[in-house]
Every structure is written in C-alpha cells, then in structure tokens.
Amino acid sequence: MNLSNPGNKSYFCGQMNITILAIESSCDDTSAAVIRDGNVLSNCIATQEIHQQYGGVVPELASRAHQVNIIPIVDTALKEAGINKKELNAVAFTRGPGLMGSLIVGVSFAKALAMGLDIPLIEVHHMQAHVLAHFAELPHPTFPFLCLTVSGGHTQIIRVNAPLEMEILGQTIDDAAGEAFDKTGKILGLDYPAGPIIDRYAQQGKVVFDFPEPQIPELNFSFSGLKTSILYFLRDQLKANPSFIKENMADICASVQDRIVSILMNKLTTAAELTGISEIAIAGGVSANSGLRSALIQQGEALGWKTYIPKFEYCTDNAAMIGITAYYKYLEGEFSSQDISPKARWGM
Ligand code: KG4
Ligand code: ZN
C-alpha cells in the first residue's frame, strides 16, 4: 500500500489498529513515539545536554546529536510499544518550524523508513502538534477551544475549531515567552534552558520587584522590552551591590515569572471575552511552568472556564504529539510525497 500522494484524500474511519511511528527532531530533543488508534503506546525522548554549557541551542551540535540518537530512540520506542516495524501503517515526522539541520535528520529518517516499509509518510506542523498534545489523554477540550501555545520559539493564542482547523488570534511580535525565560536566565547566569530553573527559584521567592507590562495592541504579545528592563534594573542594582543577584535570586525569579505569566494571562482572558469561548487550554514547553499552571486554574475558577493543562511529558517537545496529529491526518487521508523537504519557517 503506498498512499503517499500529496492531497490524496481517502477516508479510513473504521479501520482499526492504525499504528503510526512518529519522529520529532525540530530543536534539541530527539523523540520517537508509537501511536495506535490515537492512543500513545510509547513516547521516548533523548534530551541533548551538550547545549547547557553554551547558554543556548547550537544548531550544528543539535543536528549531529539527532544523527546519533535517532536510530536508538526509534528502536526504544518500538520496543516499549511492543510493536514490530512491519506492523506500522505510517511514519510521521515534524516538517517544521524548527532548526533546519535538526529537521533534516528527522525528515530524512522518516522518508527512508516509509520508503523501505512501503507505507505512507505524514508531515506534521510542530505548533499544531503542541495543541493536539491535549488529545493524548482524557479529558480533552471540546471544540471550539482556545489554546495559549507557549514555547521557546512561539507564543500564540489559537482558536481551535477542529483537530486540523486552527486560527491564530494573536502572537508575539518579537521574543517568545520561552525565550523571555531563557534570556533572563542568561542575564542571571543560569544554565540553558533557564525556564525550569527560574520556575524552581520562583517557588521559593516573593514578587517584590516590579517590571513593566508592555502595552501591545489586540491579542499580540511582546517580550523584548521586558528583557531590556530586567537588564537595566540588574545593572543599576549591581552597581550598588555586586552580590545583588546572588542574594535575591529567588525574588528576582518570582518577580520575572509573575510578570511573564500576567502578560500571558491578560491576553488569554481578553481572547476568551472576545470569542465567548470558555474551553481554555495551554500547551508548549512554558505550559510546564508552575506559575502559569496555577494562574490558569485560578482564572478558570474565577471566570467559569473549563481549563486543560497537559501532563509534563506532553508540554515540552515530544513525538507523541506528532503521532496524535498524524493520526487525525491519517483519518483524513492527508499524506505527504517522498520529495517533501523540511520548513524551518512555516506559518500555521
Ligand atoms: O516546546 P518546547 O519544549 O520547545 C520549543 O518548541 O521551543 O519549549 C521549550 C521552552 C524553553 O524556552 C524552556 O525554557 C521553556 O520551554 N520551559 C519552561 C519551563 N519548562 C520549559 N519555561 C518556564 N517554566 C518551566 N517550567
Ligand atoms: Zn515545541
């Protein structure tokens, strides 16, 4: 069976045991997952620790590490799922957006495997997959719902009308929320990725420093001004007290996190008011943040929203979300051709 024609539309509803191997390699995590009939059988992730010492992802090192990790991680995912590769019905991969060298490794591997097994290929949009990570478990949102998608490269409010029908209502005009965490961490001398480290410090600190909230029209976001104000604030404080950061790390982190969370929550609240939608989800790496998770729950209770927060393993990059998205595409008969290439930049 080779269904790999672009635009080929055929429907497979009713077909059972649809088993998909999914590959995610858009940034610095190599991940493989096996999904059967929309259920996650395995979700394995090889995280690249080499980038920590450089304060950010080094693209060349990331693609080399993907090259090393991809075969072992696929073997592990198949083994954990108890699936032989001959049982696979399709191979899914992240086509973009992401780092070109990293994407190439996943795309090339997926193409070769699909060709070798003579099964279809399914391309997946990374940000669409972050949203559909909510369908990896129950309960999941009902349509239409709003999803605040916050990662290292994106900050978007998305109206989700159906699994494959999404509309961007607002997005960042400069840095992403994850970048705001990571760049602040760099200023504070923390390792990359700094988001989880700031989160941990914040839980021990108090919100005592006030950073301005940017006034950005409509449902769009901006985080570059915040980064600059943190930089100037610390520069001034360090002049008076060279140990200021060390002595106040927890309170600085709590204050920065509180401001990033309030920027996100204010826009999300406006989006809910404007659309009248009260099914509200968060997704992407920053949705692992404890401050954002509790702010969403609180606001949901105050405004009568039904809120959805993914399990930690489905917040940051993972192949399960790629496989879930691919399952919906499989049902719609949306397959990719063998001459497909990655897209480092790819609008939704
Ligand atoms: O979705 P993701 O794993 O990769 C991208 O697609 O970018 O998101 C990674 C981002 C990084 O910026 C990282 O610092 C941030 O998610 N992050 C967090 C937390 N965990 C991960 N930011 C704040 N708090 C966290 N607990
Ligand atoms: Zn991501």
Side-chain angles (χ1 to χ4, degrees):
M1 178 180 65
N2 191 340
L3 299 165
S4 46
N5 298 319
N8 177 2
K9 276 235 165 199
S10 44
Y11 289 84
F12 290 86
C13 298
Q15 182 183 336
M16 292 298 286
N17 291 341
I18 298 166
T19 310
I20 298 173
L21 173 74
I23 311 286
E24 154 63 30
S25 72
S26 63
C27 190
D28 58 341
D29 292 311
T30 322
S31 181
V34 178
I35 308 297
R36 174 168 277 175
D37 297 333
N39 300 307
V40 181
L41 299 189
S42 64
N43 182 35
C44 304
I45 302 169
T47 301
Q48 304 176 4
E49 265 143 33
I50 190 161
H51 307 287
Q52 277 173 8
Q53 58 190 287
Y54 297 99
V57 177
V58 184
E60 174 69 21
L61 296 180
S63 49
R64 289 185 197 192
H66 283 306
Q67 189 75 35
V68 172
N69 293 341
I70 196 151
I71 290 177
I73 206 77
V74 166
D75 276 345
T76 309
L78 288 168
K79 212 172 276 166
E80 265 190 29
I83 293 287
N84 184 295
K85 57 183 181 305
K86 296 209 171 77
E87 294 174 71
L88 295 174
N89 297 99
V91 183
F93 62 94
T94 304
R95 186 180 182 195
L99 300 171
M100 185 48 98
S102 292
L103 292 165
I104 284 174
V105 177
V107 175
S108 307
F109 180 89
K111 280 162 95 165
L113 186 63
M115 183 179 261
L117 294 172
D118 194 23
I119 55 176
L121 260 181
I122 303 176
E123 72 199 71
V124 170
H125 191 291
H126 182 84
M127 297 313 293
Q128 201 169 43
H130 268 303
V131 175
L132 295 179
H134 280 282
F135 293 79
E137 36 179 19
L138 289 167
H140 52 64
T142 53
F143 301 103
F145 68 92
L146 295 181
C147 189
L148 172 71
T149 312
V150 272
S151 72
H154 291 77
T155 300
Q156 299 177 325
I157 296 178
I158 298 171
R159 182 191 162 108
V160 189
N161 297 319
L164 302 175
E165 201 191 310
M166 300 187 192
E167 199 184 324
I168 299 173
L169 302 183
Q171 57 191 327
T172 185
I173 57 169
D174 43 53
D175 290 350
E179 252 177 310
F181 275 105
D182 295 337
K183 287 181 176 173
T184 303
K186 206 166 183 177
I187 299 170
L188 294 172
L190 303 175
D191 277 351
Y192 175 87
I197 306 172
I198 291 180
D199 192 354
R200 279 198 296 278
Y201 274 115
Q203 290 174 46
Q204 294 146 29
K206 287 196 280 307
V207 180
V208 289
F209 305 116
D210 188 27
F211 299 109
E213 176 159 0
Q215 299 305 312
I216 305 298
E218 298 169 344
L219 296 174
N220 293 323
F221 301 90
S222 166
F223 289 100
S224 68
L226 176 65
K227 181 192 62 195
T228 310
S229 70
I230 294 167
L231 191 66
Y232 288 164
F233 167 78
L234 291 174
R235 188 193 56 187
D236 293 346
Q237 297 297 326
L238 286 168
K239 265 189 217 154
N241 173 9
S243 311
F244 180 79
I245 292 181
K246 224 169 126 195
E247 289 168 10
N248 295 280
M249 187 64 100
D251 290 346
I252 298 169
C253 289
S255 306
V256 169
Q257 178 166 301
D258 183 71
R259 177 50 76 215
I260 294 174
V261 169
S262 75
I263 294 171
L264 296 171
M265 286 307 302
N266 288 345
K267 292 288 181 169
L268 186 58
T269 304
T270 308
E273 278 165 14
L274 290 173
T275 57
I277 294 174
S278 57
E279 291 274 310
I280 314 283
I282 54 174
V286 181
S287 66
N289 183 266
S290 63
L292 180 59
R293 291 163 93 95
S294 55
L296 182 76
I297 293 167
Q298 266 180 26
Q299 190 74 319
E301 283 167 4
L303 299 178
W305 296 347
K306 251 182 121 178
T307 54
Y308 301 89
I309 300 176
K311 227 164 65 177
F312 279 110
E313 71 171 299
Y314 299 134
C315 289
T316 45
D317 290 347
N318 66 89
M321 67 184 194
I322 304 300
I324 296 285
T325 310
Y327 173 67
Y328 288 110
K329 295 188 105 174
Y330 191 102
L331 294 177
E332 293 289 324
E334 288 187 24
F335 302 113
S336 311
S337 67
Q338 268 287 342
D339 58 14
I340 190 119
S341 52
K343 278 189 162 185
R345 291 176 174 275
W346 189 8
M348 277 218 313

